[in-house]
């Protein structure tokens, strides 16, 4: 009897935790580059009936589930054109821009390519909306005057187009020239969300430079939240929550009946 109380209460709490994940996904419906989270659950305290403790049989009983973790799928979503040529969108799955907090030096990764040109003491650099410096393939802050965005800056400032064929050929041959780079990981689902659409790898996971990343200028990646799917999940979660509470109520009624018979 007490097990039914525990299972019902635990189920209701798990539904509330899942509802929080769904609410966060819906709240970021219009947040460019956002990747929705999925809740992963695990069984608790399963044991065998009519057999030894370690035996594996078809007669199993358990005491509910709990939300083990959340994870995101970093696939490429639909793109939206912008009026800013220094906005970028990643066209490959599981790829990220590398950014750095100028105050702490912390390195994080993001799929949101909504950048702007910011002036610092050392010059002009590409930065994110949260004030993080965008890093190149060598791990250095990407200067706004670097060759791969000279044309963008010239257009923004009303200058002439940067169309010297000889310089373009030299840049193509110079693989070490600073450029906007993309990185990937061996197991992206293990990345830890740190807020602002940014992720940090766990200890021991190293980024891998994508040599020929497909990056589209003048575009941003839309939020990956699917409104229809999230609404279906919300309805499922609400019904599961009501059923779990019904189990608690029924168990309480049975317990009350048993106690009255004992009296």
């Amino acid at each position: 009897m007490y097990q039914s109380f525990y299972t019902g209460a635990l189920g209701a709490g798990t539904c509330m935790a899942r509802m929080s994940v769904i609410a966060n996904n819906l709240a970021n419906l219009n947040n460019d580059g956002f990747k929705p989270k999925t809740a992963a659950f695990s069984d608790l305290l399963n044991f065998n009936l009519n057999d030894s403790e370690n035996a594996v049989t078809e007669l199993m009983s358990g005491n509910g589930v709990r939300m083990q973790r959340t994870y995101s799928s970093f696939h490429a979503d639909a793109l939206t054109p912008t009026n800013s040529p220094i906005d970028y969108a990643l066209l490959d799955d599981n790829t990220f821009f590398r950014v750095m907090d100028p105050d702490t030096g912390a390195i994080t990764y993001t799929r949101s390519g909504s950048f702007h040109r910011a002036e610092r003491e050392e010059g002009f650099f590409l930065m994110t909306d949260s004030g993080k410096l965008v890093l190149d393939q060598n791990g250095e802050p990407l200067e706004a005057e670097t060759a791969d965005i000279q044309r963008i800056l010239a257009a923004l400032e009303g200058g002439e187009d940067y169309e010297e064929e000889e310089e373009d050929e030299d840049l193509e041959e110079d693989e070490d020239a600073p450029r906007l780079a993309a990185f990937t990981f061996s197991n992206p689902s293990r990345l830890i969300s740190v807020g602002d659409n940014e992720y940090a790898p766990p200890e021991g996971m190293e980024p891998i430079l994508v040599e020929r990343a497909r990056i589209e200028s003048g575009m941003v990646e839309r939020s990956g939240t699917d409104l229809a799917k999230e609404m279906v999940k919300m309805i499922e979660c609400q019904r599961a929550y009501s059923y779990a509470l019904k189990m608690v109520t029924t168990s309480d009624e049975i317990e009350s009946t048993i106690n009255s018979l004992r009296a």
Side-chain angles (χ1 to χ4, degrees):
M1 183 59 61
Y2 294 109
Q3 180 178 331
S4 63
F5 277 113
Y6 177 80
T7 302
L10 189 62
T14 302
C15 290
M16 292 179 63
R18 187 189 183 198
M19 186 65 76
S20 297
V21 175
I22 297 172
N24 181 68
N25 292 340
L26 291 174
N28 288 276
L29 180 63
N30 296 317
N31 192 351
D32 293 333
F34 175 78
K35 294 302 175 185
K37 294 179 175 58
T38 301
F41 299 90
S42 61
D43 295 333
L44 292 179
L45 301 176
N46 285 333
F47 60 92
N48 295 284
L49 299 176
N50 302 325
D51 208 324
S52 61
E53 180 179 354
N54 297 324
V56 178
T57 68
E58 295 182 357
L59 296 175
M60 300 285 292
S61 179
N63 288 331
V65 297
R66 70 172 180 179
M67 192 172 74
Q68 185 73 18
R69 59 186 292 263
T70 60
Y71 65 92
S72 299
S73 176
F74 300 102
H75 59 272
D77 283 299
L79 306 182
T80 300
T82 67
N83 295 324
S84 175
I86 53 176
D87 284 337
Y88 295 92
L90 293 165
L91 305 183
D92 298 313
D93 296 341
N94 301 322
T95 54
F96 307 85
F97 298 114
R98 181 158 62 175
V99 299
M100 180 184 70
D101 189 327
D103 298 325
T104 64
I107 304 295
T108 52
Y109 298 83
T110 180
R111 283 190 63 90
S112 177
S114 180
F115 301 144
H116 64 274
R117 181 173 177 248
E119 183 177 8
R120 294 174 58 83
E121 294 180 359
E122 304 84 357
F124 289 89
F125 295 85
L126 281 185
M127 299 189 73
T128 67
D129 292 336
S130 59
K132 304 291 182 65
L133 289 167
V134 182
L135 303 183
D136 61 18
Q137 78 278 17
N138 299 315
E140 298 295 332
L142 188 61
E143 296 184 15
E145 290 85 4
T146 52
D148 80 320
I149 59 171
Q150 278 286 3
R151 296 185 183 183
I152 297 173
L153 298 181
L156 289 176
E157 298 174 357
E160 296 180 358
D161 292 338
Y162 200 74
E163 296 181 350
E164 297 182 10
E165 295 183 0
E166 294 182 359
E167 287 195 21
D168 288 345
E169 293 177 359
D170 292 339
L171 292 174
E172 291 178 0
E173 295 176 359
D174 187 2
E175 296 181 355
D176 294 330
R179 66 180 186 275
L180 188 61
F183 297 82
T184 188
F185 294 89
S186 57
N187 190 357
S189 63
R190 294 182 58 198
L191 291 174
I192 303 170
S193 176
V194 296
D196 293 327
N197 286 343
E198 297 174 10
Y199 303 86
E203 186 176 356
M205 181 183 290
E206 297 296 331
I208 302 170
L209 177 65
V210 180
E211 294 296 339
R212 295 184 178 180
R214 295 186 299 161
I215 303 176
E216 185 73 23
S217 175
M219 309 281 283
V220 292
E221 184 178 17
R222 297 178 58 184
S223 172
T225 300
D226 188 321
L227 180 59
K229 290 182 179 180
E230 295 300 326
M231 293 301 294
V232 170
K233 291 179 182 179
M234 184 176 67
I235 294 173
E236 291 177 347
C237 194
Q238 289 176 332
R239 291 183 177 178
Y241 180 78
S242 64
Y243 294 153
L245 292 184
K246 184 64 176 178
M247 178 184 295
V248 174
T249 302
T250 302
S251 298
D252 181 64
E253 293 175 352
I254 295 175
E255 186 72 16
S256 298
T257 301
I258 293 176
N259 290 334
S260 64
L261 292 175
R262 288 176 180 175

